[in-house]
Amino acid sequence: MVGLTRTTWRGLTGRARRRDRLAAGVAGAALVVGVLTVAAFAAHDGPARPATVAVSAPARPAALERSDERGASAAAVYVLELEPYGLLSGDWHDFAALCSTASGWCRDKTTSMRLVEAGTVRYAGCAMRAEAVRTTPTDAPDTFVVTVAQRQEACVRHETASSRPSTDPPTGDPVPGGDGVDVYGGNDDPDSPPDLLDITVRHGGDGWQVVRASLA
């Protein structure tokens, strides 16, 4: 048997330590991959939740701090910008803060946004452009009617069958089932005239509030 010199022994033990480190690294990598794989399967095995659309919130206009006609115009346009954002994202808080519960339009829109937040429905399309064309003071203090020209893509609501009532409570008539309810046909074609909406806004201690919305 050939004896090992001290130099030879150091070389062998160094190589052994490197092999041990390599084996430990491979084992660690395998453990990480295993954990990630288990997490991925767990995510897929969990209950499916309807996804909301990632959209950017419209910027809050600086003119909202004004209590004059410019502030009224900004409030009217801003609430219309918040509508499609809320329908696509489920974030209803800024819309509800600006839109008075005294308005049926405000209540209906907020309810739709909260259904999106709950995962009951989702909306597709709905992108909108709005521009104030005139602002008219009313006899009521700090209250204006802002006429807004609006163009909007088709807005389609998708919902689960279980979320729809079987009958229409006011009439008792059956409610059409199925998915993909077209809530707005859209007028974003350049050849189509814009919709004209009258948005009534009032300024008070809490700032601007939308109190009414209707076709002009």
Side-chain angles (χ1 to χ4, degrees):
M1 180 175 180
V2 179
L4 296 176
T5 65
R6 180 172 299 178
T7 301
T8 305
W9 173 254
R10 288 175 179 170
L12 291 175
T13 55
R15 286 196 293 272
R17 285 195 294 270
R18 286 195 293 272
R19 285 197 302 271
D20 290 343
R21 288 196 296 268
L22 177 61
V26 171
L31 177 60
V32 171
V33 171
V35 170
L36 292 175
T37 302
V38 170
F41 276 111
H44 284 295
D45 289 342
R49 293 179 57 84
T52 54
V53 178
V55 292
S56 298
R60 179 182 173 87
L64 281 184
E65 304 306 318
R66 302 173 63 107
S67 59
D68 56 8
E69 294 187 13
R70 286 182 58 186
S73 298
V77 171
Y78 185 48
V79 78
L80 291 177
E81 293 174 340
L82 286 170
E83 178 196 351
Y85 166 70
L87 292 177
L88 293 173
S89 69
D91 182 357
W92 51 271
H93 298 85
D94 287 343
F95 180 88
L98 183 60
C99 219
S100 171
T101 55
S103 164
W105 180 80
C106 293
R107 292 195 305 271
D108 290 345
K109 296 298 183 182
T110 302
T111 297
S112 296
M113 296 172 192
R114 297 188 72 165
L115 290 175
V116 174
E117 179 189 46
T120 303
V121 302
R122 65 181 178 85
Y123 287 81
C126 308
M128 189 274 307
R129 303 187 307 275
E131 180 183 5
V133 295
R134 63 176 175 270
T135 302
T136 307
T138 70
D139 293 335
D142 301 313
T143 304
F144 302 83
V145 175
V146 183
T147 302
V148 180
Q150 179 192 49
R151 292 187 183 276
Q152 189 169 14
E153 292 180 1
C155 194
V156 181
R157 183 181 68 235
H158 300 274
E159 57 186 315
T160 61
S162 60
S163 70
R164 296 181 62 83
S166 58
T167 59
D168 184 356
T171 64
D173 295 333
V175 173
D179 196 15
V181 179
D182 192 353
V183 296
Y184 183 73
N187 68 337
D188 57 332
D189 188 314
D191 295 329
S192 299
D195 289 335
L196 293 179
L197 306 177
D198 279 343
I199 309 295
T200 304
V201 294
R202 177 184 301 138
H203 192 271
D206 295 328
W208 289 103
Q209 287 272 289
V210 174
V211 296
R212 189 171 183 270
S214 63
L215 291 174

